Amino acid sequence: MTRKTDLKSLSREGLTAFISGLEEKPFRAEQIWNWLYARGVSDFQHMTNLSKAFRERLETVACISRLELEDRQVSKKTGTVKYLWRLEDGREVESVYIPDGNRHTICISTQVGCALGCDICATARIGFTRDLTVSEIVNQVMDTAADMGRKPTNIVVMGMGEPFLNYDNLITALYIINSRDGLAVSHRRITISTAGIAPLIRRYAGEGHPFKLAISLHATTDSVRSRIMPINRKYPLKDLMAAAGVYARTARDRLTFEYVLIDGINDSKEDARRLRNMLRTIPCKVNLISYNAGGNSRYAASPPERVRVFTDEIRHLLAPVTLRLSRGDDINGACGQLAGKKGRSPIGNTETEDRP
């Protein structure tokens, strides 16, 4: 039996080609696109400007996917909502809705688990299963927005998985989310966070995509970064910073560096000075983040006084520096806590302040 084509897995061009392959006029693809994304319809029979015969044919060759809500937790402190979604194959993935005044951010995942093994992230402890499809990425946004009853203003790709290791599906999904006659989230309000896959940062820069980029840095020496982020052994700081420089020279927006402050690991005054020196020639922003243990007792958050000293030292950098506030930590919804199973410590880099 031939598997049906999930229309949400197709780019705009892909949908047009699929419809043309059914010997229908290309404008039918535009109509379907509008039904899928502007109106959120998931039943062909509700697409009333298509003929009955065409709707019935679509049902035989195509489908419109949605995610199954497995669990939903709400932070009593901030209103942050953590979602656990069940996928078609029974796997689970998490995303987060973060309200902050007039800003409504959805943090989305790109993989089931993660292969990078970062020692400060809960997702690493469940390992890697598979990449998410285009539709599974898009549906996190659509189904979260439908549950909340409002469209997002911001998207951050900071949940489970390393986004650039699911590069093609990620880019296709983000253009669907960005589409003006679809979900219509501005490219200026979509941010991808990477752990530092240097060749793919260069590729991303070379292809000229408009979405913002954040790099999870978290250390100023190769020895420390390799300890907490094993990807650094393959792409050490010299390679990573060179790739960051390529991006910074071509990007429309400043590059953001994320830096989680961990007690006694990366939070000394010397670390702050090295960080300032590393970034001095790169147009950027710096987000300092208080570490959230998420059940990992090997590390602790930096004490307030050390955070103050670090922050004061890094502010000499001629770049915006913010100390990011944790949101959703009471539901394991803060930085590095996505794990994808009920009962484990879930949810990834999801706290915000005045960021993208």
Side-chain angles (χ1 to χ4, degrees), residues 272 276 288 307-317:
R276 192 177 69 200
L288 301 178
V307 171
R308 185 193 65 77
V309 171
F310 191 101
T311 303
D312 287 346
E313 189 66 32
I314 194 63
R315 286 195 191 281
H316 294 292
L317 181 70

Side-chain angles (χ1 to χ4, degrees), residues 294-337:
N296 188 350
S297 59
R298 286 175 295 176
Y299 302 111
S302 300
E305 177 59 21
R306 198 171 300 148
V307 171
R308 185 193 65 77
V309 171
F310 191 101
T311 303
D312 287 346
E313 189 66 32
I314 194 63
R315 286 195 191 281
H316 294 292
L317 181 70
L318 296 178
V321 178
T322 56
L323 180 62
R324 204 196 299 178
L325 303 175
S326 181
R327 301 178 66 86
D329 54 330
D330 58 328
I331 54 169
N332 288 323
C335 182
Q337 292 182 307

